[in-house]
Amino acid sequence: MLEGPLRALSIILSLAVLAGFALFVVDETREASAQSAAQIEGREAATTASPDPSQERAREKAHGDVREAIDDVNDVLLAPFAGLTDDSSTAWVRRGVPALIALAVYGLGLGTLARYGRGRA
């Protein structure tokens, strides 16, 4: 009975995490010389899984509405895991580790729960 909604939620959350990480990868691979000062501030916020309010405002200025919506969803989904890597000096660790954990929890965890729900019905 809950299998369908849980599976759909698992897929949607996993795709949101993947989209956010993919956009982070795009930002990281762009040439720094082509970015303006505002974009650099926004890039700093994009390297953190759970940015503070000032970083959030800078990121909003640097990104469009669709991108910011994806980033906001990612902030919420990665927030429970962001504290694990806050001390890292590497942006890839600060974004990659929470994204991998989120994929495990939301994708694998909810998917397993959906399959378990099907077996119990």
Side-chain angles (χ1 to χ4, degrees):
M1 183 164 156
L2 288 176
E3 177 190 5
L6 282 175
R7 186 176 309 275
L9 183 63
S10 172
I11 291 169
I12 290 168
L13 295 178
S14 295
L15 288 174
V17 170
L18 286 172
F21 188 74
L23 291 171
F24 162 74
V25 170
V26 168
D27 281 349
E28 286 295 302
T29 56
R30 283 190 183 143
E31 290 184 44
S33 62
Q35 297 178 354
S36 68
Q39 288 172 324
I40 291 170
E41 288 177 22
R43 187 177 164 281
E44 178 183 337
T47 62
T48 305
S50 184
D52 62 41
S54 66
Q55 290 173 325
E56 177 74 19
R57 285 187 297 277
R59 187 180 69 190
E60 288 170 355
K61 290 179 185 176
H63 296 147
D65 292 340
V66 173
R67 169 66 190 272
E68 188 55 34
I70 292 170
D71 286 340
D72 288 343
V73 169
N74 244 313
D75 292 346
V76 172
L77 294 176
L78 299 182
F81 318 111
L84 299 172
T85 59
D86 281 346
D87 295 335
S88 176
S89 62
T90 306
W92 288 92
V93 171
R94 286 194 311 268
R95 283 299 298 251
V97 171
L100 286 173
I101 295 170
L103 284 174
V105 170
Y106 302 133
L108 185 63
L110 286 177
T112 301
L113 190 61
R115 285 187 293 280
Y116 177 77
R118 178 182 59 193
R120 300 302 253 173

